[in-house]
Amino acid sequence: MEDASATVKWIGASLGLVFGTIGEDNKFKLWREDPSQAFQSGRRFRCVYSQSPSNHVSYVSLGFRTLRHEVWLVLMSRDGLLGLLEPSEQESLQAWMEIDTTYPFGQQIRGSEPTFRLSLHESETPSYGALSAGLDPKAISLCLSANTSIKILRAIRSDEGNYQFHNMLEVSSIPSAINDVSWSPGSIRLHDLIAAACDDGFVRVYAATTLHNIRLAPASSGAGQDSPPKDRHNTSLAIRQAPSGIGAGLAGVSRAEGIRRSSGGLRMQHSWTEVALLPHEAGAPVWRVQWTHDGSTIASTGDSGKLRLWKQDLKGDFIEFAETGPAWGT
C-alpha cells in the first residue's frame, strides 16, 4: 500500500481479511490478504479493485453491508452523490457494478459542500420492528448526516429484482452540526438506535421506529416530502430522491423527491424520538462515535482526546461507565 488512506473500512469476516480505503488520490480501493506473502513484506495485502469517482468529485465516506457471502458497497462523494454497488464477481471481488445512485441531500455546489458521514446497519437482518412492519429481510439500511440533519435510507429490491434507494426518514433541526453518525447493531429491538457526534460537545441518540400495517393509497410521482420536524419527535413517509443517476445530476436535472412504492403498495412509515443527550465535553466538539459490536455501548471521542463509554442502565437511560485518554487521572 503506497497511497496514504484517509478512510478505512473492513468487510465482514465471512469473506476473509478484506478492507476498503479512500486515499489521498481520491480513489476507492479494495485490498485483500494474500497468504502467500510474508508478514511485514509490504505485499501481504494486494489491491484487487480500484475505482475513481465517475462524477470527478472525491469520495468522502464508504461502508459495506455483508450477508453471509454476499457483499454490497456504499460510496458517497463530496457533492452528495450516494452510490450502491455490488460485485459482478462475488468470489474474486475484482469487478463491481453500480446498482443505484441518488442525491439524498440534493446535489451540492462545489465550495459549499457539507461534511457527509454515513453508517450502515450491519446486523444480518433489520430490527424486529422493521421486519414486523413488512421490510424485506435483505434490505440495506443506512443513515447519513449533513450539517444539522440525519436521513435514514433503505435500499430495497424492486419488483424487477434490483436494489433501489428509498428515503425513509429525516431528523432535522438538530441544534448543532454533526461530525459523525453510527447505527447500532442488533435486530432484536422494536426500534433502531442512531448516535450522532455533535459540534456542541454532546452525543445525541435517536430512536427510529417503523410503524406497522401502514397502507396508503397510490400517490402520483413527484409528491413532496413531509414538513421538517419542529420538535424531537416526528413521523415521515418513505420517499426517495428521483430521478437517479450521475448523468441526471451533471445535466442539471431537478431532483424533486418522489414516491417509490414497495411491492403490493406497502410503504414504510417511520417516526423518530431523541432518547438521550450525553455530555461528552463542554464546549469541545465530539468528532467520532461508534457502537460496540453487540449494540450495547457507545464510544465517543473529541478534542480532549478522552474516550468515553456510555451504556444503558436497567431503566433504559444512558450513563457513562468508563473514561480513558491522555487527560485521564490528571
Side-chain angles (χ1 to χ4, degrees):
M1 296 179 61
E2 298 178 355
D3 299 322
S5 298
T7 304
V8 180
K9 291 283 186 180
W10 287 97
I11 293 185
S14 61
L15 297 172
L17 291 180
V18 185
F19 62 91
T21 62
I22 298 173
E24 292 182 351
D25 58 356
N26 292 333
K27 292 182 178 181
F28 164 77
K29 294 181 179 180
L30 194 66
W31 304 83
R32 193 167 204 167
E33 184 185 29
D34 184 355
S36 66
Q37 299 295 322
F39 290 111
Q40 298 183 346
S41 64
R43 298 184 298 274
R44 182 74 180 186
F45 284 84
R46 60 186 181 89
C47 180
V48 297
Y49 180 74
S50 178
Q51 175 176 305
S52 298
S54 55
N55 55 347
H56 308 292
V57 179
S58 59
Y59 293 125
V60 293
S61 196
L62 69 96
F64 293 102
R65 166 80 164 102
T66 55
L67 182 61
R68 300 179 182 88
H69 295 288
E70 294 182 278
V71 60
W72 294 267
L73 166 66
V74 178
L75 288 169
M76 193 158 197
S77 59
R78 189 170 299 279
D79 68 342
L81 179 65
L82 181 71
L84 177 65
L85 300 89
E86 67 177 359
S88 52
E89 299 178 11
Q90 195 70 240
E91 293 294 326
S92 67
L93 302 178
Q94 293 180 350
W96 292 70
M97 56 184 178
E98 194 171 73
I99 307 172
D100 196 18
T101 59
T102 186
Y103 285 89
F105 295 96
Q107 189 171 7
Q108 304 298 311
I109 301 173
R110 182 166 296 184
S112 62
E113 306 96 331
T115 300
F116 294 111
R117 301 289 296 179
L118 70 84
S119 177
L120 280 84
H121 183 242
E122 297 179 354
S123 298
E124 186 169 318
T125 61
S127 67
Y128 177 76
L131 286 175
S132 300
L135 183 65
D136 182 355
K138 295 186 72 173
I140 301 169
S141 303
L142 65 150
C143 61
L144 302 164
S145 67
N147 292 333
T148 60
S149 295
I150 297 173
K151 286 194 175 186
I152 292 178
L153 283 79
R154 299 192 194 271
I156 303 172
R157 288 189 187 275
S158 66
D159 295 335
E160 293 76 26
N162 300 319
Y163 274 101
Q164 296 176 324
F165 281 120
H166 294 254
N167 185 357
M168 295 289 181
L169 178 67
E170 180 174 8
V171 182
S172 62
S173 303
I174 298 173
S176 175
I178 302 168
N179 297 317
D180 196 18
V181 287
S182 182
W183 191 316
S184 172
S187 56
I188 61 173
R189 299 189 183 97
L190 292 176
H191 56 265
D192 292 289
L193 291 176
I194 294 170
C198 298
D199 213 48
D200 60 359
F202 288 94
V203 175
R204 290 174 168 84
V205 183
Y206 298 95
T209 303
T210 308
L211 306 182
H212 292 195
N213 300 322
I214 302 298
R215 283 186 176 271
L216 302 175
S220 60
S221 177
Q225 186 179 5
D226 289 352
S227 300
K230 295 181 174 58
D231 52 26
R232 294 184 178 182
H233 180 85
N234 189 60
T235 302
S236 178
L237 299 179
I239 58 176
R240 81 177 294 272
Q241 300 269 359
S244 176
I246 297 172
L250 296 178
V253 176
S254 174
R255 292 181 172 270
E257 294 189 351
I259 298 292
R260 176 184 281 179
R261 294 187 295 273
S262 304
S263 70
L266 176 67
R267 289 183 291 161
M268 302 291 112
Q269 189 176 21
H270 291 62
S271 66
W272 65 266
T273 306
E274 183 181 287
V275 296
L277 183 63
L278 311 177
H280 178 90
E281 198 76 30
V286 187
W287 292 112
R288 292 292 178 265
V289 64
Q290 185 68 49
W291 294 86
T292 53
H293 65 89
D294 61 353
S296 66
T297 305
I298 304 172
S300 61
T301 186
D303 269 357
S304 66
K306 293 181 180 180
L307 175 70
R308 299 183 188 273
L309 300 176
W310 313 83
K311 199 167 187 174
Q312 282 183 299
D313 60 16
L314 295 177
K315 297 179 180 179
D317 298 324
F318 283 89
I319 59 172
E320 182 183 352
F321 75 97
E323 174 190 314
T324 186
W328 183 72
T330 61

